[in-house]
Amino acid sequence: MIHGTHLFQDPFDPYSNPPAYRRLVGKFIYLTNTRPGLSFSVNQLAQFMENPTITHHDAALKVLRYIKGSPSLGLFYPSSSTLHLNAYSDSDWTSCPDTRRSTTGFCIFLGNSLISWKSKKQRIVSRSSCEAEYRALAITSCEITWLTFMLYDLQHLHITPASLYCDNQSVIHIATNPVFH
């Protein structure tokens, strides 16, 4: 999608064939299993499956052109890699113009291989960017905990702690200070 584009519900610009839009977005959702770079765009498009507009359809066609122009992009798992979890967390505060809810995004790597990712709208409206980022960090830490238990079940004892990266200094300060917990 074009950087800075925010899709919203427009009742005056309906798309003439909503079932075709739904089928296209459904195929995009299936592709996110192997193309994590599509997750955010597909998340945005899937929010308007009930009443799509021409603008939403145009955005979906841009995603389709991107997929057609980059068929070799996808997941790669090298045979030699360190088995250390690295996670990156981010949030887009009040990114939805209709509901004012934030979008959480994270990606988790095992060595150099991407093994888990998500882009999802948060359930509640955050009052600050710090709150939205902290919620994203909490969701990411839950996913790290689940992956650590899964690695343990697969007989891999994770000796070093996982690294969790966040770009918000306030959230880092709150998360590292045990008094706030």
Side-chain angles (χ1 to χ4, degrees):
M1 293 182 66
I2 298 172
H3 180 69
T5 301
H6 292 287
L7 299 176
F8 57 93
Q9 194 62 49
D10 185 9
F12 303 110
D13 191 23
Y15 181 56
S16 61
N17 193 356
Y21 177 83
R22 291 183 193 115
R23 283 191 302 275
L24 181 60
V25 173
K27 292 173 184 176
F28 289 161
I29 290 170
Y30 180 74
L31 275 177
T32 59
N33 289 325
T34 57
R35 303 279 302 262
L38 299 175
S39 294
F40 178 76
S41 300
V42 172
N43 175 4
Q44 295 294 307
L45 294 172
Q47 295 177 31
F48 305 101
M49 296 213 356
E50 185 176 341
N51 296 316
T53 65
I54 294 171
T55 306
H56 301 141
H57 182 256
D58 292 343
L61 290 179
K62 287 179 184 175
V63 172
L64 190 60
R65 279 188 225 110
Y66 169 75
I67 293 168
K68 185 178 179 184
S70 58
S72 62
L73 293 180
L75 297 176
F76 175 69
Y77 297 108
S79 60
S80 62
S81 180
T82 61
L83 295 178
H84 181 263
L85 287 173
N86 291 314
Y88 300 88
S89 173
D90 200 8
S91 178
D92 189 4
W93 182 45
T94 64
S95 60
C96 179
D98 295 325
T99 62
R100 306 307 296 164
R101 293 192 296 176
S102 305
T103 302
T104 293
F106 69 79
C107 56
I108 302 174
F109 292 83
L110 182 61
N112 296 328
S113 304
L114 182 63
I115 60 169
S116 181
W117 60 91
K118 181 182 273 190
S119 176
K120 185 176 181 180
K121 194 186 295 187
Q122 293 180 357
R123 293 183 192 170
I124 64 167
V125 177
S126 298
R127 290 177 286 206
S128 68
S129 62
C130 183
E131 182 180 351
E133 292 271 356
Y134 193 74
R135 289 184 189 283
L137 199 69
I139 291 168
T140 308
S141 64
C142 289
E143 184 76 7
I144 290 171
T145 303
W146 181 79
L147 286 169
T148 303
F149 286 133
M150 180 185 276
L151 288 171
Y152 179 76
D153 288 344
L154 295 172
Q155 308 295 319
H156 174 70
L157 301 175
H158 205 66
I159 298 170
T160 59
S163 302
L164 177 55
Y165 299 99
C166 176
D167 62 352
N168 189 305
Q169 293 299 317
S170 299
V171 171
I172 293 170
H173 178 69
I174 291 170
T176 58
N177 190 341
V179 175
F180 291 133
H181 296 141

